[in-house]
Amino acid sequence: MAAIDEKLDAAAKAELDEHGMTIIEDLLTPQQTAKALRAIQNLFADGHAEDQHKGIHYTMNLTARDEIFREIVTLPRLVSLEAHLLGNDYILSGAFL
């Protein structure tokens, strides 16, 4: 499994280098996905997201709003890609509430 992850991560890093973005399939478990969706729905209900363009909602600082988002940004595969894109000495911040 580790060899597969290394190949997938190498491809993701190449996409980041070339396009500035990548898609990471199966990064989250179904439970994490459900928890994140509930958190986003709560943000909408609590007024922390606004409808800016006919159904496109905007919010910010998700890591400051719910633990699930702090969990997601610290997943090892994602951390590897974050470090690749930003360098090893980076800070992800979401201090506004």
Side-chain angles (χ1 to χ4, degrees), residues 10-55:
K13 289 174 183 177
E15 287 179 349
L16 283 173
D17 291 342
E18 185 174 346
H19 304 291
M21 52 97 33
T22 190
I23 296 172
I24 309 167
E25 293 186 20
D26 301 320
L27 178 69
L28 303 178
T29 66
Q31 295 82 9
Q32 290 168 317
T33 301
K35 191 173 180 182
L37 180 58
R38 279 192 306 273
I40 289 170
Q41 290 168 336
N42 289 338
L43 288 174
F44 294 157
D46 294 343
H48 292 292
E50 50 187 81
D51 186 351
Q52 291 190 333
H53 303 285
K54 297 182 182 178

Side-chain angles (χ1 to χ4, degrees), residues 27-86:
L27 178 69
L28 303 178
T29 66
Q31 295 82 9
Q32 290 168 317
T33 301
K35 191 173 180 182
L37 180 58
R38 279 192 306 273
I40 289 170
Q41 290 168 336
N42 289 338
L43 288 174
F44 294 157
D46 294 343
H48 292 292
E50 50 187 81
D51 186 351
Q52 291 190 333
H53 303 285
K54 297 182 182 178
I56 298 173
H57 291 85
Y58 170 82
T59 190
M60 60 188 346
N61 300 315
L62 292 175
T63 57
R65 301 198 186 279
D66 196 281
E67 175 63 31
I68 186 60
F69 302 112
R70 292 186 292 279
E71 180 182 326
I72 290 169
V73 299
T74 60
L75 292 170
R77 286 192 63 211
L78 191 54
V79 168
S80 172
L81 296 174
E82 292 164 1
H84 176 78
L85 187 62
L86 302 171

